[in-house]
Amino acid sequence: MSAPTPPTAELHLHVEGTIEAELLVRLADRDGLPLPSRDTDVLRERYEHFADLQSFLDVYYANLAVLRTEEDFHDLATGYLDRARAAGVRRAEVFVDPQTHVDRGVPLEAVIRGLSSAFSAAEETHGVSAAMILCFLRDLGPEAAEEILRAALPFREHFIGVGLDSAEVGYPPSLFTRVYAMAASEGLHRVAHAGEEGGPEYVREALDLLRVERVDHGIRAMEDPELVARLREERIPLTVCPLSNVALRAVDALPDHPLRRMLDEGLVATVNSDDPAYFGGYVDENYRAVARDLGLDRARLAQLARNSVDATFAPEEDKRRWRAEIADWAG
Ligand code: ADE
Ligand code: ZN
């Protein structure tokens, strides 16, 4: 039997990255849409070999053609939350890329309402708490980001924050200073991908200019000791995605992953799955992989889980309950 994993929060999860091959076929059949193949083994092959972030993003964006209706988005999120519950997830703060859907002609309302109704149902039925973070696609630039934020504000009650994702290098955080200030003035939380493929300067800019409360990935911050000291002192959480980093070749192999060093440095590192349908595992599988390949014992896994709860934007009373569950798990 595989090793048990702790109750946890998942803070770095792109809902579009949870389209398993079976769901791809089911949605394409339902909406009468073409696919390169109807054979899930053939489709899965395309999921497995990436040279870098961009080669993954090419497949990821192409597969989104099957998401057209509010029901499609609802079913996508429900599938993820069912699997997340089985993985021990108590709280999921879920990324969505609205620009890519709106640019394909899908109404923003269908995206947001479809996801939001799935989140409410998961909370009522299974007690899994879920919240939405809208990500700006950095390669579409800052004006497009401002436009989508303005379009989303009528649905403000359905999301808690903004993020920044897609191709990193060449699109530094500094480009998005104004839209992050707009988000802050609306009372939205702020996170950003930085230091996945981009260097430590991307992480510094995200902190200094975007005023992010968490850094997504952030593994390349480890190249800069001063930045590491700052992340520790300011207790900035890092949402690390070990299987993703190996799949996209940000790290050569899991035994080389900096996660253990991040914990040794006292950073608020957390474990997450990023795009689990593509990278070989949901959050429990990421925990198991780091336990095995980095030799992290139960106490270290519990630390990672505690970090994840500390890093959520959930109400304090929920955090207290989840921390108690983790303490029970740790024994
Ligand atoms: N969009 C989906 N997954 C991503 C990742 N790992 N980095 C940047 N953008 C993404
Ligand atoms: Zn990501």
Side-chain angles (χ1 to χ4, degrees):
M1 207 184 83
S2 52
T5 59
T8 190
E10 173 144 69
L11 306 175
H12 187 154
L13 179 282
H14 301 263
V15 74
E16 296 93 340
T18 69
I19 304 190
E20 296 288 348
E22 291 73 17
L23 182 62
L24 200 59
V25 173
R26 182 155 73 79
L27 296 183
D29 285 348
R30 183 162 84 192
D31 296 344
L33 297 166
L35 279 180
S37 167
R38 241 71 185 171
D39 180 332
T40 50
D41 289 335
V42 172
L43 291 171
R44 237 186 317 272
E45 272 280 293
R46 289 158 43 91
Y47 277 36
E48 279 166 11
H49 307 286
F50 305 113
D52 54 17
L53 175 58
Q54 190 57 56
S55 66
F56 153 69
L57 290 171
D58 293 342
V59 178
Y60 166 92
Y61 289 126
N63 282 343
L64 303 186
V66 300
L67 295 169
R68 302 220 59 86
T69 66
E70 183 171 328
E71 190 183 10
D72 294 341
F73 284 91
H74 179 97
D75 290 357
L76 176 69
T78 300
Y80 162 65
L81 289 167
D82 281 350
R83 178 63 185 81
R85 184 171 66 102
V89 171
R90 300 297 192 267
R91 163 83 170 177
E93 296 183 358
V94 176
F95 297 148
V96 59
D97 290 335
Q99 285 162 285
T100 192
H101 307 302
V102 170
D103 289 357
R104 295 183 295 108
V106 178
L108 181 58
E109 185 167 357
V111 179
I112 294 182
R113 290 200 187 283
L115 298 177
S116 188
S117 62
F119 291 2
S120 305
E123 179 125 35
E124 275 162 35
T125 337
H126 306 305
V128 175
S129 164
M132 199 184 313
I133 293 179
L134 305 189
C135 286
F136 307 124
L137 298 183
R138 57 208 312 159
D139 42 338
L140 297 187
E143 282 80 22
E146 287 173 28
E147 196 181 318
I148 198 76
L149 178 57
R150 275 193 292 272
L153 285 178
F155 307 100
R156 171 69 184 81
E157 84 232 48
H158 297 285
F159 59 101
I160 61 163
V162 298
L164 185 64
D165 65 1
S166 201
E168 182 178 8
V169 175
Y171 305 97
S174 54
L175 295 174
F176 299 90
T177 304
R178 200 167 71 181
V179 71
Y180 269 69
M182 272 170 65
S185 72
E186 295 293 338
L188 288 160
H189 289 292
R190 295 158 318 280
V191 301
H193 284 52
E196 179 184 20
E197 286 191 340
E201 65 282 8
Y202 281 67
V203 177
R204 284 184 192 285
E205 280 193 8
L207 294 171
D208 291 335
L209 303 178
L210 307 188
R211 306 245 161 241
V212 297
E213 297 155 87
R214 297 196 295 249
V215 174
D216 296 314
H217 292 296
I219 53 172
R220 291 200 56 198
M222 295 306 284
E223 296 167 20
D224 180 337
E226 264 182 40
L227 180 57
V228 170
R230 174 177 179 189
L231 292 167
R232 176 176 51 244
E233 277 150 30
E234 295 181 15
R235 284 193 58 75
I236 305 288
L238 301 161
T239 64
V240 180
C241 306
L243 291 176
S244 161
N245 294 150
V246 175
L248 300 187
R249 307 190 188 204
V251 170
D252 285 339
L254 215 43
D256 306 318
H257 198 282
L259 181 66
R260 178 184 259 283
R261 277 195 293 128
M262 295 170 109
L263 289 177
D264 290 344
E265 289 279 4
L267 299 184
V268 186
T270 67
V271 166
N272 308 269
S273 65
D274 206 5
D275 301 285
Y278 294 89
F279 301 148
Y282 285 78
V283 70
D284 50 338
E285 289 157 328
N286 275 267
Y287 271 102
R288 259 180 233 118
V290 295
R292 185 187 60 233
D293 286 358
L294 298 175
L296 300 185
D297 61 13
R298 205 174 173 94
R300 290 301 188 103
L301 299 186
Q303 180 67 56
L304 286 163
R306 264 195 309 278
N307 288 350
S308 77
V309 168
D310 291 350
T312 67
F313 299 131
E316 214 32 66
E317 64 188 89
D318 290 335
K319 293 190 184 198
R320 270 197 294 277
R321 198 172 67 248
W322 300 325
R323 286 191 191 105
E325 286 190 61
I326 295 165
D328 277 351
W329 181 87

